[in-house]
Amino acid sequence: MTAKEKAEQLHKQVNTFILSCVGADGYPLTKAVVPGKHRESLSELYFCTNTSSTFAAAISQNPKAAVYFYSRKLRWKGCTLKGSMEIVHDMTVKERFWQDKFKAAYKQQSYTDPDFCLLKFTPTVGRYYANFTPQDFTL
């Protein structure tokens, strides 16, 4: 199995993702998030946040980003992906990733709330780590 295939498998099993981007001050801006409702492949990853967040503001200024996910239960397997992130404006896509558990966080209790922000991450390179060995791959 290739490093990319191993990373693909891992991303469907873990529940915490760490997002990083370039903050307005030039330093990394990092936050932990839960994965999107649908996880089909590593070629497109989706995450939800608030339009009013510092993270969304940073992404709108500089799309360079990284995503890290790992599992302690699976003997510290992990993966870093580098690529670009964008804010999704397509309401059909936003509706697809909306979850009822988000209602408490948004006044309109819907994907149509202006503060509901969907981020799309498109990676170009990755590094899978397991058994004390890193393996680089491209997407």
Side-chain angles (χ1 to χ4, degrees):
M1 187 180 292
T2 67
K4 180 182 172 187
E5 291 168 334
K6 292 174 190 175
E8 188 85 50
Q9 189 176 59
L10 181 64
H11 111 274
K12 292 178 181 177
Q13 296 174 324
V14 299
N15 290 316
T16 302
F17 288 71
I18 310 298
L19 308 184
S20 295
C21 67
V22 181
D25 59 1
Y27 286 92
L29 183 60
T30 303
K31 69 187 283 178
V33 296
V34 294
K37 186 175 174 180
H38 305 284
R39 292 190 254 180
E40 284 97 19
S41 79
L42 283 182
S43 61
E44 288 182 352
L45 301 175
Y46 291 87
F47 304 97
C48 301
T49 189
N50 297 81
T51 304
S52 60
S53 71
T54 304
F55 200 88
I59 289 300
S60 68
Q61 296 300 308
N62 185 340
K64 290 182 181 180
V67 173
Y68 179 73
F69 51 93
Y70 72 98
S71 174
R72 288 178 29 194
K73 292 179 183 177
L74 297 174
R75 302 178 132 199
W76 289 101
K77 292 179 182 178
C79 182
T80 298
L81 301 171
K82 294 179 186 176
S84 61
M85 197 166 295
E86 63 184 282
I87 296 172
V88 176
H89 298 285
D90 184 323
M91 295 306 272
T92 305
V93 179
K94 289 177 78 169
E95 180 181 22
R96 184 170 182 253
F97 285 90
W98 175 261
Q99 297 179 52
D100 282 341
K101 66 183 178 182
F102 297 157
K103 286 182 178 181
Y106 298 96
K107 282 183 182 181
Q108 292 184 9
Q109 298 185 338
S110 168
Y111 67 93
T112 60
D113 190 301
D115 201 34
F116 176 65
C117 182
L118 181 65
L119 301 172
K120 175 185 173 185
F121 178 72
T122 306
T124 55
V125 296
R127 174 171 271 206
Y128 177 78
Y129 178 86
N131 302 317
F132 307 107
T133 305
Q135 295 175 285
D136 295 325
F137 59 94
T138 58
L139 289 122

